[in-house]
Amino acid sequence: MPDAERNNLVQIHMTILEPHERADNLPPSTAGTPYECWIKGFLIDKAANLGETVTIKTWIGREFSGALYKVNPIYDHNFGTPQKELLPIGDEARHQLEQR
Amino acid sequence: MGTSYSEIMSRKKEILFKSTGIDYDKFEISPIAFDYEGLMNSSGYSLEEVRKILQETGVGQTPLTELKNLTDLVRSISPSGKGGRIFVKDEAANPSGSFKDRRAALSIYHAKKLGYKGVVAASSGNYGAAVASQAAKRGLKAIILQETYDSRKIGQPEILEKTRACEAYGAEVWQLTVGPELFYIMLQVLEESGYFSASLYVPTSILGIETLGYELAHQSLEQEGRFPDVVLATHAGGGNVTGTARGLIKAGSEKTTVVGVSVDLKGLHMASDTDFNRKSFTTGHSGFGIPFLTWPDRTDVPRNCARGLRYLDRYVLVSQGEVFYTTELLARLEGMERGPAGNTSLAGALAVAKEMDRDQILVVQETEYTAAGKLPSSQLTFARENGIQVTRGNPRENIPGKSIIIPQSVDQIEIEDFPMDKIRMSYIANGIKAAKGYPLTEEDERFLAEDSRSPLDRVHEAAERLRLKE
């Protein structure tokens, strides 16, 4: 089975500028890195595997080609873990108000 | 036509003219001066018209709410008779959850009126979502360019949340790595798509924000019988401060003190791949705030309509830990879970209120929605993963990029006044330097004085000093 089939929501990767093509005056930590981009859209190719060059159509109908990076990409940012430094703040403030 | 970095940059002027519909040359007076009010008025919308246009897509008319418990908390640590009343303009009630809807609404309306099929905006923050949301309402296509990842492909959770929001509104989102080449990509996308540049810095963007200052002044007058004494606005690129202050003036609330508040991120380089993920705040911080005040014309349009120095009475810094602390207080004492943008100026308000009389009114002029990626728990988890130390203690001892210190009590929340004079002098010097040896006329000096709210003789002295140095 291929990793992705036509009309699957996928994410592609493109290198826009190689390190030597980048703007002048970049800080050293940035200057040595390529300028890269990821875009999501619906696969136009019949089938493809990760890493292969594919064409997608974005939500607004524009087409792009790039390396297939992810299929049905997840949004995995989250609420984080409870922070012990934050947990007591509410009760401390409430207590201070009651002391007035 | 070639699309290399240098080829695209060489067509900058032509691309920006086609994509904004504005001939910026018409407003240029000299290499230094331009007709600011002429440019602001060039789109031809009155404040009343702008208010109606915003209403059509459900933007604005947000509540002005008193934060009585927070005010009481501040009074518990203030000298006798002190502790101003803190109000907040609940901008999270806008369609995409922030005041940025005001900023996007008029630009999108204007783009449609001019016949553009779509809009392009570069934003990793709420503005991108606002553009995508307003474009959806008006039936235009939206492309949002986001600086999202460092070279390890690690992105701040808050920016990842904005990607999700923009895509939820049907936008095409470009997730890019760190670098100023964002502007090159923007020009390239504008050229190939033929879409409108919904830049944060075009006149229609600032006119949209004027409604915020106007509304809050009237609400304060109607609800409390007086204009606000102090309005605090989170400051980054300058649009929020500029639009709000202009709106206050148009409402007749000219005596209101306008305070810009940024999170102190001194020492972190905005274009650095390694510093990128060592900050918890993607906007509203000094890394944007100070450069934009000292040189506003560094944006994606030839002349920036956001000119904070014209309107700011005071510019103050708070620390990251103080904003996280304030966010907790707002949730627990006021039952309002909101995001970091507005809570930056709210943290500033907790400190400023201590200095004010009890009958005086402070307005924090925005809130924003919060969500996965935007909560303090999410941002502090990410900070720890990126090697930042999180502790409780004296927030003054925090080192941006190394440590975040959550205050132990509300009396530790303090503001650092950034010297306005230093910013003004730096702006004047930058203006003169940018003109590259062009001899200043009286009109140029008047422009620099007005643009920096400095006395004319100070501009003259600075110009003389720089000339001698050359």
Side-chain angles (χ1 to χ4, degrees), chain B residues 204-469:
Chain B
T204 44
S205 167
I206 308 302
L207 291 174
I209 311 167
E210 287 182 1
T211 61
L212 176 47
Y214 186 85
E215 262 175 43
L216 75 84
H218 277 283
Q219 283 171 308
S220 179
L221 191 62
E222 278 157 32
Q223 291 172 212
E224 308 302 329
R226 64 193 283 166
F227 284 133
D229 296 278
V230 171
V231 169
L232 299 104
T234 302
H235 169 69
N240 196 17
V241 162
T242 303
T244 301
R246 290 174 63 91
L248 286 168
I249 295 165
K250 288 187 178 177
S253 184
E254 280 148 353
K255 287 186 185 147
T256 302
T257 302
V258 177
V259 182
V261 188
S262 294
V263 175
D264 181 8
L265 290 185
K266 282 196 288 262
L268 295 180
H269 195 303
M270 289 310 114
S272 161
D273 187 70
T274 44
D275 284 353
F276 185 64
N277 281 325
R278 300 184 70 80
K279 55 189 198 291
S280 298
F281 291 78
T282 56
T283 181
H285 58 68
S286 55
F288 292 124
I290 295 168
F292 272 92
L293 285 177
T294 56
W295 190 236
D297 293 316
R298 55 172 73 242
T299 71
D300 51 8
V301 284
R303 285 294 191 173
N304 184 354
C305 286
R307 306 190 84 81
L309 217 43
R310 284 181 177 242
Y311 301 101
L312 272 184
D313 295 303
R314 201 173 163 187
Y315 180 45
V316 302
L317 302 179
V318 295
S319 69
Q320 298 180 88
E322 287 164 312
V323 180
F324 290 128
Y325 183 84
T326 302
T327 303
E328 284 299 305
L329 290 182
L330 184 65
R332 291 292 296 269
L333 296 190
E334 299 290 348
M336 294 171 77
E337 217 186 359
R338 299 291 184 271
N343 291 344
T344 298
S345 42
L346 182 58
L350 296 179
V352 174
K354 285 188 274 186
E355 309 161 2
M356 294 173 58
D357 295 338
R358 283 182 171 225
D359 62 340
Q360 290 189 302
I361 290 175
L362 298 84
V363 175
V364 171
Q365 54 74 278
E366 64 161 315
T367 60
E368 62 163 337
Y369 85 105
T370 193
K374 289 169 80 87
L375 288 176
S377 52
S378 173
Q379 298 198 7
L380 289 175
T381 300
F382 182 76
R384 284 185 212 269
E385 285 166 2
N386 283 279
I388 310 291
Q389 231 185 14
V390 181
T391 53
R392 290 196 79 180
N394 179 0
R396 299 278 78 69
E397 289 166 9
N398 95 106
I399 304 168
K402 290 202 169 71
S403 59
I404 293 172
I405 305 180
I406 315 283
Q408 277 156 324
S409 65
V410 70
D411 55 358
Q412 283 180 318
I413 296 187
E414 283 175 21
I415 41 175
E416 180 194 337
D417 260 287
F418 201 89
M420 292 299 293
D421 251 14
K422 202 173 145 188
I423 297 176
R424 294 195 164 105
M425 289 319 286
S426 170
Y427 163 83
I428 293 164
N430 286 337
I432 295 170
K433 272 185 228 153
K436 292 179 187 138
Y438 156 85
L440 260 67
T441 63
E442 255 178 62
E443 186 171 24
D444 293 323
E445 288 186 2
R446 265 203 308 277
F447 173 82
L448 289 174
E450 196 177 293
D451 213 32
S452 63
R453 258 171 94 182
S454 307
L456 192 57
D457 54 350
R458 293 211 59 193
V459 176
H460 189 71
E461 278 165 33
E464 287 299 311
R465 242 193 342 267
L466 283 166
R467 204 169 294 153
L468 289 178
K469 263 196 217 163

Side-chain angles (χ1 to χ4, degrees), chain A residues 11 22-23 29-30 35-38 40 58 62 69 75 77-79 81 83 85 91-92 94 96, chain B residues 76-77 153 161 167 172 175 177-178 180-182 192 271-273 332 373 375 377-378 381 384 392:
Chain A
Q11 186 176 31
R22 298 198 59 169
S29 64
T30 312
Y35 193 51
E36 300 172 88
C37 177
W38 291 262
K40 288 174 201 161
T58 68
R62 302 198 321 145
Y69 183 77
Y75 294 114
H77 61 289
N78 57 42
F79 295 95
T81 51
Q83 300 292 305
E85 291 78 9
D91 286 348
E92 289 165 7
R94 190 58 72 189
Q96 192 173 334
Chain B
S76 76
I77 53 147
K153 199 179 180 269
E161 162 57 18
E167 289 176 344
E172 173 185 301
Q175 294 182 290
T177 49
V178 179
E181 293 93 339
L182 185 65
E192 76 192 17
S272 161
D273 187 70
R332 291 292 296 269
L375 288 176
S377 52
S378 173
T381 300
R384 284 185 212 269
R392 290 196 79 180

Side-chain angles (χ1 to χ4, degrees), chain B residues 4-210:
Chain B
S4 74
Y5 186 78
S6 55
E7 286 166 316
I8 290 278
M9 295 307 268
S10 72
R11 296 199 294 278
K12 178 171 92 175
K13 205 169 158 179
E14 179 192 329
I15 296 170
L16 290 177
F17 175 54
K18 279 191 189 150
S19 62
T20 58
I22 301 170
D23 181 2
Y24 281 87
D25 279 352
K26 261 176 43 189
F27 304 97
E28 290 298 309
I29 294 169
S30 77
I32 287 182
F34 78 105
D35 177 9
Y36 176 53
E37 290 301 334
L39 179 58
M40 281 301 294
N41 295 329
S42 62
S43 60
Y45 299 102
S46 70
L47 181 63
E48 268 319 299
E49 285 168 320
V50 178
R51 297 185 72 214
K52 275 193 199 129
I53 291 163
L54 264 57
Q55 248 175 354
E56 284 174 15
T57 51
V59 177
Q61 313 288 347
T62 57
L64 180 72
T65 307
E66 185 166 10
L67 304 179
K68 290 187 178 167
N69 293 331
L70 279 185
T71 301
D72 282 346
L73 188 68
V74 169
R75 287 178 178 172
S76 76
I77 53 147
S78 300
S80 158
K82 296 286 176 186
R85 297 168 67 191
I86 304 171
F87 288 73
V88 70
K89 182 87 168 133
D90 200 13
E91 289 290 292
N94 282 306
S96 80
S98 82
F99 92 95
K100 289 288 191 340
D101 286 336
R102 296 180 190 264
R103 211 162 174 171
L106 183 64
S107 286
I108 307 301
Y109 171 89
H110 190 59
K112 187 164 184 176
K113 198 176 89 173
L114 296 178
Y116 291 91
K117 300 286 175 232
V119 293
V120 181
S123 162
S124 305
N126 290 330
Y127 184 61
V131 167
S133 161
Q134 288 297 304
K137 286 216 184 210
R138 296 268 181 206
L140 294 190
K141 292 173 175 179
I143 302 171
I144 309 299
L145 310 172
Q146 296 187 324
E147 187 175 58
T148 310
Y149 294 118
D150 64 15
S151 60
R152 304 171 296 169
K153 199 179 180 269
I154 292 184
Q156 280 199 20
E158 191 177 6
I159 300 179
L160 300 177
E161 162 57 18
K162 300 329 299 187
T163 305
R164 185 205 61 75
C166 291
E167 289 176 344
Y169 296 126
E172 173 185 301
V173 180
W174 293 48
Q175 294 182 290
L176 296 148
T177 49
V178 179
E181 293 93 339
L182 185 65
F183 182 43
Y184 152 74
I185 291 295
M186 182 167 183
L187 291 174
Q188 196 183 340
V189 169
L190 285 170
E191 188 173 54
E192 76 192 17
S193 67
Y195 289 177
F196 179 80
S197 172
S199 158
L200 281 156
Y201 308 104
V202 291
T204 44
S205 167
I206 308 302
L207 291 174
I209 311 167
E210 287 182 1

